[in-house]
Amino acid sequence: MNSPIAPNPLQQIQERVPSEPLCLTNAKLILPDRVVEGTITVEGETIAGISEGGSSLGGAVDCGGAYILPGLIELHTDNLERHIEPRPSVDWPHMPAILAHDAELASTGITTVFDAMRVGSINSGKGRYLKYARGLSREIIDLRAAGALKISHFLHLRAENCSETLLEELAEFTPDDRIGIVSLMDHTPGQRQFRDLTKFKTYVSKKRGMSDAEFEQHVDNLFDLRKRFGEAHEAGTVREAARLGAVLASHDDTTPEQVTTSKRHGVQFAEFPTTVEAAEACREQGIAIMMGAPNIIRGASHSGNVSALELAERGLLDIVSSDYVPSALLLSAFRLAELWDDLPRAIATVTEAPARVTGLSDRGALEVGMRGDLLCVSTLNNTPIIRSVWSRGHQVA
């Protein structure tokens, strides 16, 4: 029998004894519309003051001209899945995996994360994907309630249409589970992310070690699942997202017609549109556009789809996600700052914009009254180096 998670004694002490104000001075503050040299003060868990110039307050921390910016907000990361399955078919103990994931994100400047986990299983064949989201999410919720996590965790359910059990799995969640995002996924080969079957074969074969015959069988099975369940699963997912009070996202929209369908469903942001045409349609229909940080840093999509830098140059990029490399999030913002010659605009793609699209009005910008989620960052050859990270006014890295 599992024993209950013990309360965090440090958390109890912090609740009983007010902490001293955190005052950071001689810093370049990245505000929503400009960068100023000044001082920022956090009292308790919130930003209490922002001013230009230095501070005479005793105990003020001299940042030596480093940047202070809001904590990063991550909407879609596969990082937790990497920790619970560090190798194919290796099921790592979940509690230490979650804690390691949490600590890793804190070290990269992410102070709010929507932990992405697949919902919808395939129960047969070598390409099978077994159910895990409901159990894993309960463990995250328990750790969160115990004060064992460094940063703020919400849940992101990736609803896979090409599955057998999607709606049954979604039905197990309730509005009390703090589901922030539900995304509509369709990984049927030959369209969306994997229009190029050669790249799909490379991806799946490497991940699952499939032979040619096993790959063909897997593809046939996915086509069959899409034919049998696709429309019902898509409609059901939209209903479940509304029941859970979650923001709805699309995934890998490729054509303007797919974007129109996403708009009809009530999608608020598009994860990784694969073409310029889809991104343009998103802009026309008021859907925020999110792209992957690794795409920005590499200058190309690993799946052969549109370059995030091309979308950024066209003004078709609103939000950046670290996707599969947590440390890429901050680095990508500095790459965008070079491209746009606008550091506040670039930082907003990883702070203010993701907060706004998910309804988190208490974070994402350096403003009085916002949460004390902060980064202290210096640079070397325009590469950001994280010096310190605070979540709700407490140093976590």
Side-chain angles (χ1 to χ4, degrees):
M1 179 181 296
N2 292 329
S3 59
I5 299 172
N8 179 355
L10 179 58
Q11 182 187 43
Q12 293 176 333
I13 291 170
Q14 291 168 342
E15 289 172 352
R16 289 198 306 268
V17 182
S19 60
E20 292 294 323
L22 170 67
C23 182
L24 305 173
T25 192
N26 189 21
K28 297 184 182 73
L29 307 178
I30 304 179
L31 304 180
D33 59 348
R34 66 194 189 282
V35 179
V36 302
E37 294 187 8
T39 300
I40 186 167
T41 303
V42 176
E43 294 183 3
E45 297 186 350
T46 60
I47 297 173
I50 296 174
S51 61
E52 296 190 38
S55 171
S56 59
L57 183 68
V61 177
D62 187 337
C63 295
Y67 291 107
I68 298 294
L69 57 144
L72 310 184
I73 299 174
E74 173 56 65
L75 301 189
H76 175 126
T77 173
D78 300 334
N79 193 60
L80 178 55
E81 291 186 342
R82 179 175 65 83
H83 278 279
I84 66 173
E85 190 181 13
R87 291 286 187 273
S89 301
V90 173
D91 185 15
W92 201 252
H94 286 178
M95 185 184 293
I98 295 166
L99 294 172
H101 161 69
D102 172 69
E104 180 181 359
L105 295 192
S107 75
T108 65
I110 295 170
T111 55
T112 299
V113 61
F114 289 74
D115 292 313
M117 54 193 79
R118 174 186 45 78
V119 181
S121 304
I122 299 174
N123 296 317
S124 61
K126 192 164 185 178
R128 67 179 183 167
Y129 296 87
L130 300 180
K131 173 182 173 181
Y132 73 95
R134 177 65 275 188
L136 181 62
S137 65
R138 286 196 182 101
E139 293 176 279
I140 295 172
I141 291 167
D142 287 346
L143 287 167
R144 189 172 65 203
L149 300 175
K150 294 176 179 291
I151 67 173
S152 180
H153 288 254
F154 295 86
L155 303 181
H156 175 167
L157 301 183
R158 305 169 66 222
E160 185 55 70
N161 279 350
C162 291
S163 68
E164 298 165 326
T165 62
L166 173 58
L167 299 186
E168 292 89 339
E169 291 186 38
L170 283 171
E172 295 179 345
F173 290 88
T174 75
D176 293 335
D177 289 320
R178 203 160 123 176
I179 309 299
I181 300 168
V182 172
S183 54
L184 293 161
M185 303 287 214
D186 185 351
H187 286 109
T188 310
Q191 51 94 57
R192 294 185 181 263
Q193 180 180 0
F194 292 113
R195 288 178 292 165
D196 186 336
L197 280 177
T198 302
K199 290 188 177 294
F200 180 62
K201 183 176 182 180
T202 300
Y203 175 81
V204 173
S205 298
K206 183 176 181 180
K207 188 173 183 179
R208 295 289 168 179
M210 292 182 183
S211 65
D212 289 348
E214 289 169 334
F215 174 75
E216 293 298 331
Q217 183 179 19
H218 179 54
V219 169
D220 289 343
N221 188 38
L222 291 178
F223 280 131
D224 179 62
L225 290 170
R226 182 66 177 87
K227 181 178 180 180
R228 288 192 288 146
F229 299 114
E231 291 185 8
H233 280 183
E234 186 171 312
T237 298
V238 173
R239 291 193 300 270
E240 288 295 284
R243 178 181 67 84
L244 295 169
V247 172
L248 192 65
S250 63
H251 193 76
D252 298 327
D253 284 338
T254 300
T255 68
E257 292 76 19
Q258 289 172 342
V259 174
T260 297
T261 298
S262 296
K263 181 67 175 180
R264 187 171 65 249
H265 287 326
V267 161
Q268 297 297 305
F269 69 99
E271 299 184 309
F272 321 128
T274 65
T275 63
V276 172
E277 293 75 19
E280 288 175 337
C282 287
R283 179 65 77 238
E284 292 168 3
Q285 302 209 40
I287 296 173
I289 302 161
M290 184 173 86
M291 295 297 286
N295 187 324
I296 291 171
I297 293 164
R298 296 177 65 249
S301 161
H302 75 280
S303 301
N305 297 314
V306 69
S307 164
L309 288 176
E310 180 179 355
L311 294 188
E313 289 170 346
R314 292 172 176 263
L316 297 172
L317 175 61
D318 303 305
I319 302 167
V320 177
S321 161
S322 70
D323 199 3
Y324 56 92
V325 184
S327 62
L329 195 57
L330 182 61
L331 179 59
S332 69
F334 275 77
R335 293 291 183 267
L336 288 174
E338 285 186 272
L339 177 69
W340 289 335
D341 192 24
D342 189 337
L343 184 57
R345 177 187 175 190
I347 293 300
T349 66
V350 295
T351 56
E352 185 180 10
R356 184 169 60 248
V357 80
T358 51
L360 296 178
S361 60
D362 63 345
R363 69 199 78 186
L366 296 188
E367 295 177 348
V368 172
M370 291 286 195
R371 280 171 48 125
D373 294 349
L374 306 175
L375 307 187
C376 179
V377 175
S378 60
T379 59
L380 179 63
N381 299 327
N382 206 42
T383 296
I385 301 172
I386 294 176
R387 300 303 187 184
S388 298
V389 181
W390 293 268
S391 175
R392 294 182 297 175
H394 301 295
Q395 189 164 2
V396 295

